[in-house]
């Protein structure tokens, strides 16, 4: 008897129909496929300047310790984060990327029968972690590509256990006003855990003029997630964190693996927090690049969604996949967003000045042929 398809029917029901997350195309893959060498990747919202010098030095210094297990409690990094945000160390949860925190919260709080609310066009990981644990996804329609907090609140009922909000949102780059978000939290029943995903918060700067961390004091059901993958340039190491009440952190801590953060990531992240100069260079590079790329869109007569992140969603007003593929043939990897129900849009990560110019040149050529 050899029925290998039968094994699918043995998986838990959410997993049977699960379609895994599609990451941005890796540079090496395009190299293999097309034999190109000069490839630029503006597809995964990575930092075009790379990691900072302090993170690299910390990695170098930690190499000798690789035979040892990492600190399972991540003391140094938790301490640095708690100092930075004036929180207690017990309020910090470390994750193998902030993605892991999203998964931990789903595993710790959801069962089949419970509901999870997130917005149309919100980050694709929310439906995945919901489905994997067999909970029910409730999608609130977007408002101008962003979250409609009223529509989300209207969908809260006795079965709602979790709400995901990405601010700024990926892939749209939209930003919620601080006071609107605060009012939303106040209106939310405390039987509902609210995840505020701030993977791009460093890029927002003064535009948001507000500090979500101050809300933790009044909302034991709030979990703020942040990451070293984007502004800090450490996506390859996989390190992110959650900030919450000590109680919520304690719950997440019960379901995580004992050594979920690797030794190099812990050392690099703590060092990266002290590298103010690299962060400033990153933010300056991003705002100049955003200016250049949106100017280029304007010259091509294209519309885009105003973005608070390190990427921008452009509306091509025609199917985006052929344009995406034509850009690939020119060695430029961007991100198609058909999985988000945005078949005419592409998401472009802001690159270095050279990458931005090469992208605009390639796009201009592709759009005119
Ligand atoms: C990139 C991203 C993350 C998580 O990235 P990690 O590398 O797992 O930290 C989380 N949320 C959003 C909205 C993102 O775009």
């Amino acid at each position: 008897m050899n029925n290998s398809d039968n094994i699918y029917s043995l998986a838990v029901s959410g997993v049977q129909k699960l379609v895994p997350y599609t990451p941005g195309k890796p540079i090496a893959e395009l190299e293999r496929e097309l034999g190109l060498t000069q490839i630029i990747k503006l597809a995964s919202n990575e930092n075009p300047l790379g990691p900072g010098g302090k993170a690299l030095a910390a990695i170098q210094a930690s190499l000798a310790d690789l035979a040892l297990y990492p600190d399972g409690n991540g003391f140094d990094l938790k301490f640095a984060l708690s100092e930075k945000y004036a929180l207690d160390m017990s309020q910090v949860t470390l994750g193998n990327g902030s993605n892991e925190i999203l998964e931990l919260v789903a595993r710790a709080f959801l069962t089949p029968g419970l509901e999870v609310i997130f917005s149309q066009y919100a980050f694709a990981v929310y439906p995945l972690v919901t489905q994997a644990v067999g909970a029910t996804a409730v999608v609130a329609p977007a408002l101008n590509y962003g979250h409609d907090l009223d529509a989300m609140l209207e969908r809260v009922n006795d079965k709602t256990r979790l709400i995901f909000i990405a601010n700024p949102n990926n892939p749209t780059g939209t930003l919620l006003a601080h006071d609107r978000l605060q009012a939303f939290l106040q209106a939310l029943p405390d039987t509902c855990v609210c995840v505020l995903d701030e993977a791009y918060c460093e890029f927002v700067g003064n535009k948001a003029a507000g500090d979500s961390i101050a809300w933790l004091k009044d909302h034991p059901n709030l979990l703020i997630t942040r990451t070293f993958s984007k502004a800090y340039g450490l996506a390859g190491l996989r390190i992110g964190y959650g900030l919450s009440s000590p109680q919520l952190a304690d719950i997440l801590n019960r379901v995580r693996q004992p050594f979920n953060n690797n030794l190099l990531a812990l050392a690099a992240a703590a060092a990266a927090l002290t590298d103010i100069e690299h962060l400033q260079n990153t933010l300056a590079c991003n705002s100049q690049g955003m200016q250049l790329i949106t100017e280029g869109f304007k010259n091509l007569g294209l519309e885009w969604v105003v973005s608070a992140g390190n990427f921008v969603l452009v509306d091509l007003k025609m199917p985006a996949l052929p344009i995406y593929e034509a850009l690939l043939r020119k060695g430029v990897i961007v991100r198609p967003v058909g999985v988000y129900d945005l078949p005419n849009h592409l998401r472009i990560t802001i690159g270095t000045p050279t990458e931005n110019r090469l992208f605009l040149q390639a796009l201009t050529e592709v759009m005119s042929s």
Side-chain angles (χ1 to χ4, degrees):
M1 177 78 173
N2 180 7
N3 185 350
S4 46
D5 272 350
N6 199 31
I7 194 93
Y8 286 106
S9 67
L10 305 179
V12 296
S13 63
V15 175
Q16 286 186 25
K17 286 177 226 114
L18 199 90
V19 182
Y21 182 80
T22 318
K25 196 177 189 65
I27 289 177
E29 188 177 303
L30 188 62
E31 277 174 358
R32 280 196 303 273
E33 287 172 3
L34 297 184
L36 297 173
T37 49
Q38 292 289 333
I39 291 174
I40 61 171
K41 183 185 177 207
L42 302 175
S44 300
N45 302 343
E46 294 143 334
N47 186 332
L49 303 183
K54 291 194 176 182
L56 289 175
I59 290 169
Q60 191 68 44
S62 301
L63 287 175
D65 296 330
L66 278 181
L68 306 176
Y69 277 99
D71 175 2
N73 289 315
F75 181 91
D76 290 343
L77 180 56
K78 278 191 190 175
F79 182 76
L81 288 166
S82 67
E83 291 276 291
K84 177 177 166 71
Y85 296 121
L87 296 171
D88 194 84
M89 278 177 70
S90 64
Q91 297 183 265
V92 184
T93 307
L94 301 179
N96 190 17
S98 60
N99 239 288
E100 189 192 18
I101 310 277
L102 304 177
E103 211 175 292
L104 293 179
V105 74
R107 272 183 28 225
F109 286 94
L110 298 176
T111 55
L114 292 175
E115 296 184 0
V116 180
I117 301 175
F118 47 84
S119 175
Q120 180 188 21
Y121 308 141
F123 189 39
V125 165
Y126 311 151
L128 290 180
V129 298
T130 301
Q131 195 183 331
V133 296
T136 302
V138 176
V139 182
L143 179 68
N144 299 326
Y145 292 100
H147 293 62
D148 182 342
L149 293 177
D150 293 332
M152 295 182 83
L153 212 47
E154 277 166 23
R155 284 163 174 76
V156 174
N157 62 36
D158 292 348
K159 286 184 259 163
T160 311
R161 183 59 52 84
L162 206 56
I163 297 200
F164 286 109
I165 293 178
N167 199 43
N169 184 41
N170 172 16
T172 61
T174 49
L175 183 72
L176 285 161
H178 187 74
D179 53 343
R180 302 286 323 281
L181 204 44
Q182 187 169 20
F184 173 86
L185 271 180
Q186 267 149 12
L188 197 65
D190 60 7
T191 50
C192 191
V193 172
C194 182
V195 178
L196 187 56
D197 180 345
E198 298 188 330
Y200 301 96
C201 65
E202 292 85 1
F203 295 101
V204 176
N206 293 329
K207 266 183 279 176
D211 179 11
S212 55
I213 287 164
W215 300 334
L216 290 172
K217 188 164 44 66
D218 299 321
H219 299 282
N221 56 336
L222 173 62
L223 172 63
I224 298 169
T225 60
R226 297 186 173 184
T227 182
F228 289 93
S229 297
K230 309 287 162 56
Y232 291 101
L234 297 175
L237 281 180
R238 314 304 304 127
I239 181 101
Y241 56 98
L243 306 171
S244 67
S245 60
Q247 294 78 8
L248 209 165
D250 173 43
I251 292 168
L252 299 181
N253 195 50
R254 295 177 190 192
V255 291
R256 73 172 175 88
Q257 286 179 39
F259 303 105
N260 60 331
N261 306 115
N262 74 75
L263 186 130
L264 300 182
L266 289 169
L273 285 177
T274 67
D275 202 338
I276 313 288
E277 194 185 342
H278 186 252
L279 184 62
Q280 278 168 353
N281 290 341
T282 298
L283 302 187
C285 170
N286 189 61
S287 50
Q288 285 157 20
M290 184 69 79
Q291 185 83 33
L292 187 87
I293 285 189
T294 52
E295 195 68 33
F297 290 158
K298 195 157 107 192
N299 294 339
L300 287 168
L302 298 173
E303 285 170 22
W304 66 94
V305 181
V306 172
S307 172
N310 64 342
F311 56 91
V312 59
L313 188 71
V314 62
D315 185 357
L316 301 175
K317 305 251 156 87
M318 62 169 110
L321 219 48
I323 305 288
Y324 163 73
E325 280 159 2
L327 287 170
L328 283 184
R329 290 191 290 273
K330 291 183 178 291
V332 178
I333 311 175
V334 297
R335 191 63 159 267
V337 281
V339 289
Y340 288 94
D341 245 346
L342 293 164
N344 293 351
H345 291 72
L346 289 175
R347 192 195 67 194
I348 320 297
T349 303
I350 307 303
T352 61
T354 307
E355 289 171 333
N356 297 334
R357 273 191 292 274
L358 286 171
F359 159 70
L360 282 176
Q361 191 185 326
L363 182 67
T364 307
E365 286 164 16
V366 165
M367 295 294 285
S368 63
S369 66

